């Protein structure tokens, strides 16, 4: 066995899906363990301390959300949720639960592996280092943002949006959450207003760095920031 090999716990009650995922994960260099019953997850995690969990939500014995809540009471191990219920996603990623990422079922094993690698890479490096290497730089005191060294001419709302995305790269925000982040008062602001701020912010990012799309739309959910 390769030293430093990361271990992934696959929590999934469909054997075929778990088997395919485990196979892909192993090919990608990960060590895997499979659990199909909800009640076995917490004891196993406590004993073996895996590096990451892929967690199906509908499980026999105990559901994924319940497992996740208990998990977070003692561990910050990254969790990628898998769900077939699109209407759940907001809750999964929302402030209430704060999963690290999610995939919608049916998903491709490749997608799960890409997300797994992303998260593990992100947490492997200290935050300071990430910030100085990053193409995006945020100066909160001056409310200034730079992309690739180029100063962006942002409105206060656009700055706050970018700042919010930047504090949690990869995390998906719903429009409602973005509204909460960027306005202190309870002005009536519509979803459409958020969309138009995002559109302007995207244009400015695009002008500074045309070959990369930083803000991704997640259909039916909201937006997230992606950069390497
Ligand atoms: Ca299931």
């Amino acid at each position: 066995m390769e030293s430093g090999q990361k271990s992934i716990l696959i929590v999934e009650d469909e054997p075929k899906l778990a088997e395919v995922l485990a196979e892909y994960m192993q090919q990608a260099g990960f060590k895997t363990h499979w659990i199909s019953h909800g009640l076995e997850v917490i004891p196993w995690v406590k004993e073996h301390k895996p590096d990451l969990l892929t967690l199906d939500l509908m499980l026999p014995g105990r559901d994924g959300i319940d497992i996740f809540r208990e998990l977070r009471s003692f561990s910050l191990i990254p969790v990628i949720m898998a769900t077939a219920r699109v209407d759940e996603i907001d809750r999964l990623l929302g402030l209430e639960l704060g999963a690290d990422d999610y995939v919608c079922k049916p998903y491709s094993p490749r997608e799960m592996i890409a997300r797994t690698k992303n998260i593990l890479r992100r947490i492997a490096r200290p935050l300071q280092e990430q910030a100085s290497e990053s193409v995006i730089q945020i100066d909160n005191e001056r409310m200034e943002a730079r992309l690739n060294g180029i100063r962006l001419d942002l409105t206060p709302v656009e700055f706050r949006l970018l700042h919010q995305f930047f504090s949690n790269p990869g995390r998906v925000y719903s429009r409602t959450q973005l509204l909460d982040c960027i306005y202190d008062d309870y002005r009536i602001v519509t979803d459409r207003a958020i969309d138009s701020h995002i559109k302007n912010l995207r244009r400015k990012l695009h002008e500074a760095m045309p070959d990369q799309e930083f803000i991704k739309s997640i259909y039916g959910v909201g937006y997230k920031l992606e950069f390497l």
Side-chain angles (χ1 to χ4, degrees), residues 10-218:
I10 298 170
V11 182
E12 173 58 66
D13 62 330
E14 291 166 45
K16 196 75 211 154
L17 186 52
E19 192 185 320
V20 172
L21 184 57
E23 210 167 285
Y24 270 79
M25 286 280 191
Q26 285 157 22
Q27 273 169 21
F30 297 114
K31 193 167 68 173
T32 62
H33 182 79
W34 171 42
I35 288 179
S36 62
H37 197 278
L39 287 171
E40 291 169 17
V41 180
I42 296 288
W44 197 90
V45 169
K46 281 187 171 162
E47 193 178 338
H48 298 273
K49 300 189 172 50
D51 293 294
L52 185 141
L53 227 103
T54 73
L55 181 60
D56 183 28
L57 286 193
M58 301 284 280
L59 293 165
R62 193 176 184 187
D63 77 78
I65 290 186
D66 204 33
I67 293 170
F68 182 80
R69 275 190 218 281
E70 187 178 346
L71 191 73
R72 273 292 171 270
S73 70
F74 67 91
S75 164
L76 285 173
I77 173 182
V79 174
I80 304 178
M81 304 258 195
T83 179
R85 293 184 51 188
V86 179
D87 59 327
E88 279 279 337
I89 290 168
D90 236 6
R91 229 178 110 209
L92 301 183
L93 296 160
L95 302 170
E96 188 196 345
L97 276 174
D100 296 270
D101 207 345
Y102 74 96
V103 291
C104 280
K105 287 182 144 188
Y107 60 84
S108 77
R110 275 175 218 284
E111 186 189 357
M112 185 63 104
I113 284 162
R115 287 173 189 277
T116 299
K117 285 182 173 169
N118 249 330
I119 292 175
L120 292 176
R121 199 185 312 137
R122 206 161 74 208
I123 61 171
R125 299 184 309 163
L127 209 64
Q128 207 85 46
E129 191 187 322
Q130 291 182 40
S132 64
E133 272 179 21
S134 167
V135 288
I136 299 177
Q137 308 214 300
I138 306 261
D139 182 337
N140 215 2
E141 263 166 44
R142 294 185 190 166
M143 283 189 71
E144 261 183 31
R146 285 172 191 273
L147 181 57
N148 231 1
I150 301 165
R151 185 167 171 257
L152 301 170
D153 186 19
L154 303 178
T155 64
V157 167
E158 288 158 11
F159 177 83
R160 286 162 94 161
L161 274 173
L162 184 62
H163 182 264
Q164 191 60 42
F165 282 126
F166 186 76
S167 334
N168 280 293
R171 168 160 168 197
V172 181
Y173 289 93
S174 69
R175 289 177 176 81
T176 315
Q177 286 169 343
L178 290 173
L179 284 172
D180 285 348
C181 300
I182 63 175
Y183 293 105
D184 299 327
D185 54 9
Y186 291 91
R187 255 180 291 181
I188 310 283
V189 189
T190 60
D191 286 0
R192 204 164 288 188
I194 281 286
D195 289 342
S196 89
H197 288 306
I198 295 271
K199 193 175 146 204
N200 291 334
L201 178 57
R202 265 188 177 147
R203 179 175 45 79
K204 290 173 184 180
L205 292 169
H206 182 80
E207 279 165 9
M209 222 174 148
D211 54 346
Q212 201 165 341
E213 189 201 347
F214 290 99
I215 299 176
K216 300 247 158 81
S217 306
I218 312 298

